[in-house]
Amino acid sequence: MHFQWYPGHMTKAKRMMQENIKLIDLVIELVDARVPISSRNPDIDELGKNKARLILLNKSDLAEDKWNDAWSEYFREKGFSVVKVNSKKGGGIKSINGVIQEACKEKIERDRKRGILNRPVRAMVVGIPNVGKSTFINALAGKACAKTGNKPGVTKGKQWIRLNKNVELLDTPGILWPRFEDQAVGLKLAFIGSIKDEILQTEELAAELVTFMNKNYPGVLESKYNVEEDTDPYGMIARIAESRHCLVRGNELDTEKASVLLMDDFRNGRLGRLTLEYPDAY
Ligand code: G4P
């Protein structure tokens, strides 16, 4: 399976990110809890060096909690602050302000020693497309978000959201690209729906997902769709089509429709909470 990407705006996005990062104390990096490594940008550690770092395992509601905990531990050992969040439902959001203060305590202490008191921490949200950046900013800022407007000394046009007296957040997230040249990464991002379906063959993708499920979550498809085991992924898709009455012209199996249904069920958590990569491999 080959993935095509359209890296047209990548250079511009990276340049903007480099500019914005100069203005901030803390990088809040969102990753997808189902694929915490594949949904990271390869340059982010270089871009974010010398900044306080917070990783949010977003969409944690869709990933297995034991792996969410294992990944939290993995990133903590690497020196990141970590929070499991569900931006859509607000899970974990309340703890964020406290964690930001903790993540920036060295900077706050440095300021204090230099006689600078109560300067708010400035933060920026970054992540690859579709990881939940806008949803997170809305959940964190809520309705009360008051834009602070331009400030002297700050690049014109930047908007800061004052979260409270201690924290200001850049209102536009930094969009970064994943390790798109790696086909294994591309496949996982296609599973979770980060790559547009139009550029992929749905049946081929669904067959890859069946193969993954058979290996890592045996029995789940069988019980969800009430079908017999089938080691051939295309055979399994046909069984799902049969079981769900996906038919064309009356009685022919519509495997394309079954593939769309399977991908949709997977992406929306209807196959259960599933994690696609595990810390021991990294
Ligand atoms: P982005 O800015 O990083 O590109 O991502 P965005 O916030 O647009 O979110 C992408 C999709 O992910 C949205 O779904 C959003 O609702 C969903 N999402 C964000 N955070 C979470 C989370 O913690 N858990 C779950 N389950 N979903 C999350 P969508 O399909 O585009 O829209 P809709 O389903 O909300 O209508």
Side-chain angles (χ1 to χ4, degrees):
M1 196 164 212
H2 190 76
F3 299 99
Q4 272 189 295
W5 287 78
Y6 303 102
H9 303 297
M10 283 173 58
T11 321
K12 191 177 167 216
K14 192 170 166 187
R15 205 176 333 110
M16 252 182 80
M17 172 91 192
Q18 278 162 336
E19 263 175 40
N20 286 340
I21 217 154
K22 290 184 200 143
L23 310 172
I24 58 155
D25 308 300
L26 170 74
V27 177
I28 303 178
E29 179 188 354
L30 263 77
V31 300
D32 189 305
R34 294 166 294 176
V35 283
I37 299 292
S38 295
S39 59
R40 292 194 79 201
N41 169 274
D43 304 320
I44 186 64
D45 287 331
E46 180 58 29
L47 283 165
K49 68 172 192 247
N50 307 326
K51 303 286 172 186
R53 303 289 299 279
L54 167 58
I55 287 200
L56 302 182
L57 294 171
N58 193 39
K59 308 198 186 186
S60 60
D61 53 307
L62 299 175
E64 264 194 286
D65 212 36
K66 70 167 184 191
W67 292 118
N68 291 340
D69 289 338
W71 278 116
S72 300
E73 197 48 43
Y74 170 93
F75 286 117
R76 270 189 203 113
E77 272 173 16
K78 296 201 176 312
F80 296 93
S81 296
V82 188
V83 184
K84 297 187 280 186
V85 287
N86 170 358
S87 300
K88 204 168 171 172
K89 291 269 166 69
I93 300 292
K94 280 207 188 83
S95 66
I96 299 288
N97 280 320
V99 176
I100 290 177
Q101 294 306 309
E102 181 64 26
C104 295
K105 67 172 188 259
E106 279 176 23
K107 179 225 161 276
I108 294 165
E109 184 57 21
R110 256 196 331 269
D111 276 358
R112 201 187 57 81
K113 284 198 179 132
R114 288 157 62 202
I116 307 167
L117 295 178
N118 303 325
R119 186 170 84 72
V121 165
R122 289 209 174 122
M124 164 184 195
V125 170
V126 305
I128 68 166
N130 209 37
V131 83
K133 296 179 294 299
S134 312
T135 312
F136 169 73
I137 291 175
N138 287 338
L140 185 66
K143 289 192 194 74
C145 80
K147 296 209 171 144
T148 56
N150 297 332
K151 295 203 164 158
V154 173
T155 312
K156 224 175 138 200
K158 299 271 176 265
Q159 292 286 322
W160 296 88
I161 301 168
R162 183 179 282 265
L163 294 177
N164 55 48
K165 67 178 179 19
N166 300 318
V167 187
E168 290 180 0
L169 186 69
L170 205 55
D171 75 339
T172 36
I175 303 168
L176 292 165
W177 270 258
R179 223 175 263 98
F180 55 84
E181 67 283 354
D182 181 331
Q183 293 289 299
V185 168
L187 184 62
K188 287 184 227 170
L189 296 178
F191 283 169
I192 64 167
S194 276
I195 299 177
K196 289 258 176 295
D197 275 351
E198 304 93 75
I199 61 168
L200 293 166
Q201 309 249 342
T202 314
E203 278 191 69
E204 214 182 320
L205 183 63
E208 296 275 5
L209 182 64
V210 170
T211 304
F212 169 84
M213 292 298 290
N214 285 343
K215 181 164 176 257
N216 294 279
Y217 292 97
V220 168
L221 296 178
E222 287 81 352
S223 77
K224 166 78 183 168
Y225 298 108
N226 195 21
V227 292
E228 294 288 306
E229 193 185 331
D230 196 327
T231 48
D232 170 30
Y234 289 96
M236 178 55 100
I237 294 169
R239 283 171 196 261
I240 294 171
E242 200 174 5
S243 162
R244 288 299 158 103
H245 308 291
C246 300
L247 303 168
V248 266
R249 286 190 294 278
N251 52 8
E252 214 172 293
L253 292 179
D254 188 345
T255 49
E256 170 80 24
K257 191 170 169 193
S259 299
V260 171
L261 182 130
L262 171 63
M263 294 314 305
D264 208 47
D265 282 346
F266 167 77
R267 287 171 183 167
N268 290 302
R270 289 190 290 267
L271 299 181
R273 297 174 69 167
L274 305 171
T275 300
L276 303 183
E277 58 194 22
Y278 316 100
D280 48 1
Y282 296 93

